[in-house]
Amino acid sequence: MTGYAVATSESAAGTLTIEIKSVNSRFLDLQFRINDDLRALEPDLRSAIMAAITRGKVEIRLSFGRKAAGAGTQALNVPLLNELARLQGEVSKHFAGAQAMSVAELLRWPGVVEEAQIGQESLQADVAALMNRTVQAFVTSRQREGAALEAMLISRIEAMEGIVKRITPLIPQVVAAFQQKAIERMQEALGLASQGSNSSLSRQDAMERIRQEVILYGIRIDVAEELGRLSAHLSETRHILKKGGQVGKRLDFMMQELNREANTLGAKASVKELADASMELKLLIEQMREQVQNLE
């Protein structure tokens, strides 16, 4: 599911900003964009996200903007100054006329002036509090999309229930038609057997043919079970959606079961109405499957 949230907090040292955004994915894929000096906080951020969601390609950005340097916020790197003095003395031994570095040049030397260290514990606490706020807003945004997806899925369930309701009354007609065909074929087979010794079928052969026709008849018309299971699966899918929570994997399974019954219905379809119904069901199931893969 998609989602987005951003939050900012101010501290004595600077401004913290956390941004979370996600796109659809069947699995949980976390990507972090963090300032190098805050990289140590990544495990805490990862834990917070994994505790809140289980699916989605999620990008988390953590940035820290330090405040402009003020009194007491900068210090000299004394060990580096000592090293520069030693090196300058070595150079003077080889080049007696070499000019010593000025104060301005020393202050501009990389690393000579350091910003005062920020308390790690205080910074970690600030990031944790901000992360909690951001994750809550992020989950809320995903819940809004989840509600919209639920409405879409319910509409597809209602459409499939309508199809099942429409074709269920056709089953007795289909059974009657197949019964008539079976009777005609039986009579044909018995007629051939009764034509005398010149008949290509003996009575035993005719009975075997009748048995085969009856078996085929039983297999072809037995779609009542498929329709019953379809209705049960649709009811269970509706129940899962209404119950809420982490429903993605359970709905994945229900889509497999619905598709299995729709395929079987199509394979057994003996009239155009049943074949068309099977195609409509599979189209609706595929539409649901695409969205179910994005749900938690």
Side-chain angles (χ1 to χ4, degrees):
M1 290 167 51
T2 60
Y4 180 81
V6 61
T8 301
S9 69
E10 299 287 343
S11 68
T15 302
L16 281 169
T17 301
I18 296 179
E19 180 184 27
I20 306 175
K21 56 184 177 181
S22 70
V23 294
N24 295 330
S25 175
R26 291 185 63 188
F27 308 100
L28 183 60
D29 179 14
L30 302 182
Q31 298 179 354
F32 291 89
R33 304 286 186 269
I34 304 177
N35 290 10
D36 289 339
D37 53 349
L38 300 177
R39 183 64 60 180
L41 300 177
E42 180 178 324
D44 294 336
L45 302 179
R46 184 179 297 273
S47 297
I49 289 291
M50 294 180 66
I53 63 174
T54 59
R55 278 184 172 183
K57 184 175 182 180
V58 186
E59 180 178 307
I60 303 98
R61 292 180 178 270
L62 171 60
S63 59
F64 179 54
R66 297 177 184 270
K67 289 186 176 180
T73 63
Q74 292 181 313
L76 290 176
N77 187 338
V78 177
L80 179 56
L81 283 174
N82 292 335
E83 180 65 13
L84 289 174
R86 185 187 67 80
L87 292 174
Q88 185 167 270
E90 293 292 328
V91 170
S92 298
K93 293 179 183 178
H94 297 281
F95 303 95
Q99 186 177 358
M101 295 177 66
S102 67
V103 173
E105 290 172 332
L106 285 171
L107 291 175
R108 287 196 299 269
W109 191 272
V112 168
V113 178
E114 294 181 322
E115 294 189 12
Q117 294 296 316
I118 302 172
Q120 189 67 18
E121 292 185 2
S122 175
L123 182 60
Q124 187 170 356
D126 291 341
V127 170
L130 184 60
M131 187 64 182
N132 184 54
R133 284 170 45 201
T134 313
V135 168
Q136 288 180 355
F138 176 68
V139 170
T140 300
S141 72
R142 285 166 62 94
Q143 288 173 342
R144 287 195 296 269
E145 184 185 351
L149 286 176
E150 179 186 355
M152 186 279 290
L153 294 174
I154 290 293
S155 71
R156 300 304 188 273
I157 291 173
E158 291 173 347
M160 285 190 280
E161 289 173 337
I163 294 171
V164 172
K165 185 177 181 180
R166 185 185 76 221
I167 63 176
T168 297
L170 298 178
I171 303 305
Q173 302 173 20
V174 173
V175 171
F178 266 91
Q179 285 177 335
Q180 184 61 37
K181 288 182 181 180
I183 291 172
E184 292 173 357
R185 290 174 181 174
M186 290 177 188
Q187 290 174 342
E188 178 186 355
L190 289 173
L192 290 173
S194 63
Q195 290 177 2
S197 58
N198 293 329
S199 173
S200 60
L201 289 176
S202 66
R203 186 169 184 81
Q204 182 177 358
D205 291 336
M207 294 303 296
E208 177 62 20
R209 181 172 176 180
I210 291 172
R211 187 183 69 82
Q212 293 174 356
E213 292 291 341
V214 171
I215 291 174
L216 178 61
Y217 153 79
I219 293 174
R220 293 298 300 274
I221 67 171
D222 187 15
V223 296
E225 290 186 11
E226 281 72 20
L227 293 179
R229 286 194 292 267
L230 270 170
S231 295
H233 293 335
L234 289 170
S235 296
E236 179 62 18
T237 303
R238 185 190 292 272
H239 172 73
I240 291 171
L241 285 169
K242 290 300 182 183
K243 185 178 179 181
Q246 294 184 354
V247 300
K249 292 183 179 180
R250 285 179 291 169
L251 289 176
D252 271 341
F253 174 75
M254 295 310 303
M255 294 305 103
Q256 295 174 20
E257 295 301 304
L258 286 169
N259 197 57
R260 181 180 292 111
E261 301 304 334
N263 283 332
T264 305
L265 178 64
K268 291 185 175 182
S270 56
V271 294
K272 182 176 182 299
E273 290 82 357
L274 292 181
D276 290 345
S278 172
M279 187 62 65
E280 292 175 37
L281 287 169
K282 287 192 283 187
L283 178 60
L284 291 167
I285 292 167
E286 184 59 29
Q287 291 174 357
M288 293 182 68
R289 190 202 301 271
E290 291 177 358
Q291 298 302 327
V292 162
Q293 292 176 352
N294 302 321
L295 287 172
E296 282 286 332

